[in-house]
Amino acid sequence: VQLQASGGGLVQPGGSLRLSCAASGSIFSINHMGWSRQAPGKQREFVAYITRDGETNYTDSVKGRFTISRDNAKNTVYLQMNTLKPEDTAVYYCNANVRSGGKNWYQNYWGQGTLVTVSS
């Protein structure tokens, strides 16, 4: 199973970006999917997750600005980021809790990360 994240880049404060993360490989089903981020010199932190049924949860600092969604048919999770701030600058990592074909348990997988830089 592989997760491929995309959509990062340079954006001015107040701008928007949409991140995507597609899971591929031998996938039987995906439970929750989510995003974390790691700013320079800091530990990785949780940003948002979404369950298979669409329930969501966000860290307080992004509530009202970020929206997580998913397309179960495409095994893809999205993160719409609006009103971006310089403190949102980080490498964003996606993760998915996946049951692979032939297995009876779920395993967490991580994408390679995509850099988001918010600067004027």
Side-chain angles (χ1 to χ4, degrees):
V1 175
Q2 292 184 330
L3 272 64
Q4 181 68 45
S6 62
L10 174 64
V11 63
Q12 292 186 344
S16 298
L17 279 177
R18 189 192 194 209
L19 305 183
S20 301
C21 176
S24 62
S26 180
I27 298 172
F28 181 78
S29 68
I30 300 178
N31 195 0
H32 58 266
M33 305 181 81
W35 293 91
S36 298
R37 66 186 179 186
Q38 186 166 17
K42 296 187 177 181
Q43 292 186 335
R44 190 178 299 191
E45 65 170 354
F46 161 78
V47 175
Y49 78 74
I50 183 168
T51 68
R52 183 167 45 198
D53 297 330
E55 294 182 12
T56 60
N57 190 28
Y58 300 90
T59 192
D60 286 345
S61 63
V62 307
K63 286 180 180 177
R65 300 188 298 121
F66 291 10
T67 301
I68 189 171
S69 61
R70 63 189 283 175
D71 184 332
N72 290 332
K74 296 181 179 180
N75 292 332
T76 299
V77 62
Y78 305 97
L79 186 67
Q80 177 66 44
M81 305 185 294
N82 299 329
T83 319
L84 282 161
K85 304 176 181 181
E87 52 263 42
D88 294 317
T89 295
V91 176
Y92 284 70
Y93 298 91
C94 57
N95 70 282
N97 195 238
V98 179
R99 179 181 171 187
S100 300
K103 296 182 179 179
N104 293 323
W105 62 90
Y106 285 85
Q107 184 173 344
N108 216 31
Y109 292 87
W110 289 88
Q112 84 286 3
T114 184
L115 177 62
V116 172
T117 303
V118 184
S119 175
S120 55

